[in-house]
Amino acid sequence: MNILLLGGGGREHALAWKLAQSPSLRKLFAGPGNPGIAECATCVTLDAGDHEAVAEFCKDRQIDLVVVGPEAPLVDGLADSLRAEGIAVFGPSKAAAQLEGSKAFTKALCDRAGIPTAAYVRSSSEDAAQAALQKFGLPVVIKADGLAAGKGVIVAQTHEQARQAVADMFAGGFGAAGQEIVIEAFLEGEEASFFAITDGKTVVPFGSAQDHKRVGDGDTGPNTGGMGAYSPAPVLTEALTGQVMREIVEPTVAAMAAEGMPYSGVLYAGLMLTAEGPQLIEYNCRFGDPECQVLMMRFEGDMAALMLATAQGRLAEAELPVFSEQTALTVVMAANGYPASPEKGGVIAGIDRAKATGATLFHAGTARDGDHLVAAGGRVLNVAALGTSVTEAKQRTYDGVDAIAFPGGFARGDIGWREVEREARRG
Ligand code: AMP
Ligand code: GLY
C-alpha cells in the first residue's frame, strides 16, 4: 500500500522508520517530514490545514492510507474531510478528537461513563471559577479547556497561585483555549502513559511508557513536550493494565461509539496511579512524543497493516500487536533555550558515530544547511536504544548521546531514573 504520513517531528520519524519496515508498504510519503524522515520516505510540501490539497495529493499519488501524527489536524477535522473523499485515515474524526481537544468534554464523558478521574468543576466565567476554587484543597490544578501545546495546565500550590492562574487564563494568556477552564482536584501518585489502538469497536492494548516532562535533571524546571521516555513502564503491571482497559479505555471507546462519535486511531491515556487505583489525567488522540519512539523501537509487527486495518474498521481481524520483551529508552536532545526560546541553527555532528554505538536516531527538529545538519526546533534529536533492563537501555542510549557533538544543545542526564533506582534496589 501507499501511505502518506503527516507531521515532521521525532514521533513521525519513528513512525516512518517502522512503517518503512512493513512488508505491506509500497511507497511512503511524508509531509512535511524532516531530514531524518527523508532517509525512509519521500518528503513533500503539504499543509495539513489545507484539507483539499491533502485529498488531491492522495488521489494523485494513489494513497491508500493517511497517518496523522500530530493532534492539531485531527482536532481540526482533517480525518473527516479525507474520509468524505473515500480516503482511509489512521486517526480520529473531529468529534472523537474532542477527547484531546476539550478537557471539559472528556471530564463530562468520564462522568457519563463512570470513568475514574479527578473531581472537577468547569467554568466559562472568571467569577464562577474564582468562587469554585473555594471547594478545592491544595494543591489544585487549573486547566485551559482547549489545545494549548501542553502549556495550559497549572498545578497551583497556594491559593494566590490558583487565583492568579484563573485570572491569567480568562485574561487570554492561553488564547481561545482558556475561554473555558477546568479546575481539578490534585491526584497523588506516579504518572504513566498507556496506549490502545481501536477502530471504534475493537480495542487492543498498545503498550505503556513513562515520559519525563520537566526540562532539567531531577524533574526540575519548566514543563516541556517530554525530554525522554522508556517503554514498557514496569509500574503498569499486567493487573493494572487489565484494570485500565476495563475501567478506563474500554468504557471510553464504548461510550464514544454509543454517542455516535466512534473513536478510531490510537488513544493515549495519561494516568495517575493513585492509592485508589489508576485515574485518568487526560486523553490524547495521537501517539506521544517521545513515547512513540520507544513504542516503535519495541513493536515487532507490520505497522502499516495494523494501521490500515484500524482505519478500515477491521481491527478484529488483525494480528494482535506484538512487542519485544526488551526495554526501549530514548533521550531527547534539545536546543539551548528550550522550552522558552530555543536557539536555531546550532550545528549537530557525530550522527554516524552515534549510530555506530548501536543506537537508533530519530530527527525531531533538524534541517540541512549546506553540508551541515542544524537545529531547527526546540526538541532536535532523539537517541534511542533497547536493553534487557532500563539500566542497560539507558547506558546504551547515553553511549549514543555522548557520541553526538551539539554545542548548541543539551539533554537530561537522568532519563529512566525512577526505574534505574528501583532496579538497583532489587539488585
Ligand atoms: P495534562 O496536560 O492534562 O496532561 O496535564 C499536564 C500535567 O499536569 C500532567 O502530566 C500531570 O503531571 C499534571 N496534572 C494534570 N492534572 C493533574 C491532576 N488532577 N493531579 C495531579 N497532577 C495533574
Ligand atoms: N510526551 C507527552 C505528549 O506527547 O503529550
Side-chain angles (χ1 to χ4, degrees), residues 148-292:
K151 298 188 185 87
V153 176
I154 309 280
V155 178
Q157 303 292 341
T158 66
H159 293 296
E160 175 50 25
Q161 275 173 10
R163 197 198 58 72
Q164 192 63 49
V166 167
D168 288 349
M169 284 194 191
F170 283 106
F174 297 92
Q179 282 168 11
E180 168 141 13
I181 70 166
V182 168
I183 302 172
E184 261 182 39
F186 181 79
L187 296 171
E188 200 86 54
E190 188 165 335
E191 274 186 78
S193 305
F194 179 77
F195 299 84
I197 286 187
T198 174
D199 61 2
K201 308 176 290 265
T202 306
V203 196
V204 297
F206 199 75
S208 63
Q210 268 181 311
D211 190 11
H212 300 64
K213 293 216 168 151
R214 303 295 200 94
V215 75
D217 281 15
D219 292 337
T220 53
N223 258 319
T224 70
M227 294 299 292
Y230 52 89
S231 172
V235 284
L236 267 179
T237 57
E238 222 174 292
L240 282 176
T241 299
Q243 199 178 346
V244 169
M245 283 293 282
R246 278 192 313 278
E247 295 181 2
I248 298 179
V249 175
E250 286 167 358
T252 299
V253 171
M256 293 296 284
E259 296 183 14
M261 303 172 270
Y263 187 96
S264 165
V266 60
L267 186 58
Y268 157 5
L271 303 170
M272 191 68 86
L273 306 178
T274 74
E276 289 81 45
Q279 303 227 10
L280 181 71
I281 299 177
E282 62 157 1
Y283 275 128
N284 295 304
C285 64
R286 50 169 173 88
F287 281 110
D289 187 348
E291 291 94 325
C292 184

Side-chain angles (χ1 to χ4, degrees), residues 11-385:
R11 166 182 50 211
E12 288 77 23
H13 188 183
L15 289 171
W17 172 78
K18 185 50 72 177
L19 286 168
Q21 298 168 38
S22 285
S24 54
L25 180 82
R26 188 161 357 119
K27 189 130 181 59
L28 180 61
F29 295 92
N34 67 36
I37 294 174
E39 291 167 14
C40 45
T42 302
C43 292
V44 295
T45 309
L46 262 183
D47 173 7
D50 186 345
H51 299 186
E52 262 177 51
V54 177
E56 201 164 310
F57 178 89
C58 291
K59 286 179 185 161
D60 278 357
R61 304 300 176 102
Q62 295 168 329
I63 298 295
D64 301 290
L65 174 69
V66 176
V67 175
V68 185
E71 64 278 15
L74 295 165
V75 171
D76 183 42
L78 177 63
D80 308 70
S81 303
L82 296 177
R83 284 185 186 122
E85 300 284 334
I87 301 160
V89 182
F90 182 85
S93 67
K94 180 175 181 145
Q98 288 182 90
L99 281 180
E100 175 162 3
S102 167
K103 294 187 189 295
F105 172 89
T106 299
K107 294 302 269 187
L109 183 96
C110 287
D111 283 348
R112 295 197 293 280
I115 291 162
T117 188
Y120 77 103
V121 166
R122 67 191 279 190
S123 183
S124 49
S125 100
E126 185 179 347
D127 287 347
Q130 296 291 8
L133 276 179
Q134 311 309 320
K135 296 186 203 146
F136 291 85
L138 288 172
V140 61
V141 186
I142 325 275
K143 301 184 174 184
D145 177 63
L147 289 186
K151 298 188 185 87
V153 176
I154 309 280
V155 178
Q157 303 292 341
T158 66
H159 293 296
E160 175 50 25
Q161 275 173 10
R163 197 198 58 72
Q164 192 63 49
V166 167
D168 288 349
M169 284 194 191
F170 283 106
F174 297 92
Q179 282 168 11
E180 168 141 13
I181 70 166
V182 168
I183 302 172
E184 261 182 39
F186 181 79
L187 296 171
E188 200 86 54
E190 188 165 335
E191 274 186 78
S193 305
F194 179 77
F195 299 84
I197 286 187
T198 174
D199 61 2
K201 308 176 290 265
T202 306
V203 196
V204 297
F206 199 75
S208 63
Q210 268 181 311
D211 190 11
H212 300 64
K213 293 216 168 151
R214 303 295 200 94
V215 75
D217 281 15
D219 292 337
T220 53
N223 258 319
T224 70
M227 294 299 292
Y230 52 89
S231 172
V235 284
L236 267 179
T237 57
E238 222 174 292
L240 282 176
T241 299
Q243 199 178 346
V244 169
M245 283 293 282
R246 278 192 313 278
E247 295 181 2
I248 298 179
V249 175
E250 286 167 358
T252 299
V253 171
M256 293 296 284
E259 296 183 14
M261 303 172 270
Y263 187 96
S264 165
V266 60
L267 186 58
Y268 157 5
L271 303 170
M272 191 68 86
L273 306 178
T274 74
E276 289 81 45
Q279 303 227 10
L280 181 71
I281 299 177
E282 62 157 1
Y283 275 128
N284 295 304
C285 64
R286 50 169 173 88
F287 281 110
D289 187 348
E291 291 94 325
C292 184
Q293 288 82 318
V294 284
L295 292 174
M296 291 304 124
M297 290 288 289
R298 294 182 52 234
F299 180 70
E300 292 183 333
D302 183 332
M303 197 64 200
L306 180 67
M307 287 178 145
L308 185 66
T310 304
Q312 294 178 335
R314 296 184 291 102
L315 187 56
E317 301 161 22
E319 271 178 47
L320 275 180
V322 178
F323 289 92
S324 161
E325 297 278 313
Q326 297 206 79
T327 292
L329 188 138
T330 188
V331 170
V332 172
M333 301 187 78
N336 286 341
Y338 177 75
S341 48
E343 289 169 18
K344 284 218 164 103
V347 175
I348 306 152
I351 298 278
D352 289 337
R353 239 178 311 142
K355 286 183 183 164
T357 69
T360 301
L361 267 65
F362 299 118
H363 291 230
T366 66
R368 295 252 174 239
D369 182 7
D371 288 342
H372 294 299
L373 186 69
V374 299
R379 294 186 292 173
V380 173
L381 206 59
N382 313 140
V383 182

